[in-house]
Amino acid sequence: MQRFILAAALSVAMSAHAADNLVFSPKQLQTLGIRTLPLATSSQQASLGYAATVVVPPTQQRIVAAPMMGLLTRVWVTSNTQVKAGQPLATLASPSLAEAQGGLVQAAAQAQLARGQMQRDDQLLADGIIPQSRQQATRAAYLSANAMLTQHRQSLRMLGVPAGTIAQMERGQANTAELNLVAPMSGVVLEVNAAAGQRVEAATALFKIAQMHPLWLEIQVPSNAAAGIKSGDQVNVAGRKVTGRVLSVGQSAQLAQTVLVRAQIEGELDGLVSGQAVEAQLTGKTSLDWQVPVTALAYNKNQPFVFVRDARGFHPVAVKVLSQTASVARVAGGFTKNDVIAVQGVAQIKAVWTGVGGEGGE
């Protein structure tokens, strides 16, 4: 009986169909189960949510590695420790450091002797006692010895020895086989791969330090929705008072057919930490897009439509689907802010519009 009533209602409505003006009486609307809702812009409803991960920008991370083979005699920090630039992280004892110091002292002595000889030969040349060729050879020897001294200084600087300590080593006022590994910048120690008594090889990564502000969001967006996202679009984190802006949109899809959208969080972090999984909500700059329930979409020859309520019934409006989740779609179309759309019973309205009794007309 109910199927007969629906068929009769469709038959009456079809008789009133003319030029996409789909007329329904209040009783027909009730019988066909047609419900409507006011159309809302994207800014009037919650933005579409996507899975995201909080990450630290690469430019805000530094790795502290062992500059040479040696033994860690002491570790001064643990993970999550706040550190300042130049603060000791660990102490490394190494015979290579003692060898480097010996080479520096020897190079400093050779440079000092060569300089003295050059100064003497400069005076002898001025007095006409020696030929210019000898003075030139002496100057070349000094330049070579000085270049060797500079090389040893730079080698120690690369090992992390402070310039003041290097100067003391040259004068024989410092002699140690231990070196403090220090923080290259202020931040938080994220990782510690060091323990007292551990022997390490050169270039072994021991600490990771990061500046925790600002942070990035790496958002996984379905490839069919990524086209509607632009640099500068606003990003919110669900459940937190955190906002940000899109920095970049990936140009290639991953295996899960998602595109990586990277955004930077602005202002307060509201407790967000690196590696945390969150839900990111994207809002475009433009106000010309609208959000509709997925149930409001009807397809005719692969073109999506939405039925807008007018004075007598409904009329179809072609739309472009910008992005879609299981329940909500963001669309662009020729709407006005006061439009009311059908969100239930859409199949019955489409049947009247296409002149068939069901979901045909695809």
Side-chain angles (χ1 to χ4, degrees):
M1 177 63 71
Q2 184 176 6
R3 182 175 299 177
F4 173 77
I5 294 174
L6 288 174
L10 284 174
S11 177
V12 174
M14 286 179 185
S15 65
H17 166 48
D20 290 342
N21 186 12
L22 312 175
V23 180
F24 292 87
S25 67
K27 185 175 181 180
Q28 290 170 342
L29 295 177
Q30 181 178 2
T31 302
L32 297 175
I34 298 173
R35 290 182 57 249
T36 61
L37 284 176
L39 186 66
T41 63
S42 293
S43 60
Q44 291 176 311
Q45 292 189 8
S47 303
L48 301 181
Y50 303 103
T53 304
V54 181
V55 299
V56 179
T59 55
Q60 296 171 203
Q61 301 182 49
R62 294 288 294 275
I63 298 295
V64 178
M68 66 194 85
M69 180 182 65
L71 174 70
L72 293 173
T73 59
R74 187 163 185 176
V75 177
W76 300 88
V77 298
T78 60
S79 59
N80 300 319
T81 301
Q82 293 276 351
V83 295
K84 295 182 178 180
Q87 179 176 334
L89 304 176
T91 301
L92 178 70
S94 173
S96 300
L97 180 59
E99 293 176 6
Q101 291 181 69
L104 173 68
V105 173
Q106 184 176 0
Q110 292 292 336
Q112 185 176 2
L113 289 173
R115 181 178 181 182
Q117 185 64 47
M118 182 188 66
Q119 290 174 343
R120 287 190 296 271
D121 283 2
D122 286 346
Q123 184 61 46
L124 292 174
L125 177 64
D127 294 339
I129 300 175
I130 62 172
Q132 187 176 9
S133 58
R134 174 176 163 179
Q135 186 271 346
Q136 290 176 342
T138 304
R139 178 172 290 275
Y142 164 72
L143 293 176
S144 177
N146 195 59
M148 185 61 67
L149 175 60
T150 301
Q151 179 180 341
H152 281 279
R153 287 172 178 166
Q154 291 177 343
S155 296
L156 285 167
R157 287 291 293 149
M158 292 180 64
L159 293 177
V161 180
T165 304
I166 294 174
Q168 291 177 347
M169 289 178 178
E170 289 185 35
R171 298 190 298 267
Q173 297 174 351
N175 186 17
T176 178
E178 289 190 339
L179 173 68
N180 280 333
L181 307 181
V182 301
M185 67 179 184
S186 299
V188 178
V189 179
L190 294 184
E191 296 180 10
V192 176
N193 300 309
Q198 176 184 352
R199 292 190 177 275
V200 296
E201 297 294 328
T204 301
L206 302 177
F207 303 93
K208 178 189 284 189
I209 300 176
Q211 293 175 341
M212 303 303 293
H213 194 282
L215 294 175
W216 282 358
L217 290 178
E218 291 190 344
I219 310 167
Q220 301 297 330
V221 178
S223 54
N224 63 344
I229 301 173
K230 307 297 181 184
S231 295
D233 285 356
Q234 181 176 322
V235 177
N236 299 305
V237 178
R240 296 179 182 271
K241 298 178 181 180
V242 174
T243 61
R245 294 288 174 183
V246 172
L247 294 177
S248 63
V249 180
Q251 300 302 306
S252 61
Q254 302 177 14
L255 292 178
Q257 293 303 300
T258 59
V259 172
L260 178 64
V261 175
R262 184 172 289 118
Q264 180 170 297
I265 299 173
E266 303 168 353
E268 295 296 327
L269 300 180
D270 196 13
L272 292 179
V273 295
S274 175
Q276 184 174 357
V278 296
E279 179 182 328
Q281 298 173 336
L282 293 167
T283 304
K285 292 180 179 178
T286 176
S287 60
L288 298 179
D289 56 341
W290 313 81
Q291 282 197 180
V292 301
V294 171
T295 56
L297 296 177
Y299 286 82
N300 187 25
K301 298 179 180 179
N302 296 322
Q303 169 64 52
F305 290 85
V306 171
F307 293 106
V308 177
R309 182 74 182 269
D310 52 36
R312 300 185 62 190
F314 295 90
H315 64 272
V317 174
V319 297
K320 179 181 179 181
V321 178
L322 303 176
S323 59
Q324 182 175 330
T325 66
S327 59
V328 179
R330 186 165 64 94
V331 301
F335 300 108
T336 64
K337 64 179 181 179
N338 296 321
D339 282 344
V340 176
I341 62 172
V343 297
Q344 187 173 316
V346 173
Q348 284 72 25
I349 301 176
K350 177 184 173 183
V352 174
W353 178 43
T354 58
V356 298
E359 281 293 310
E362 295 290 345

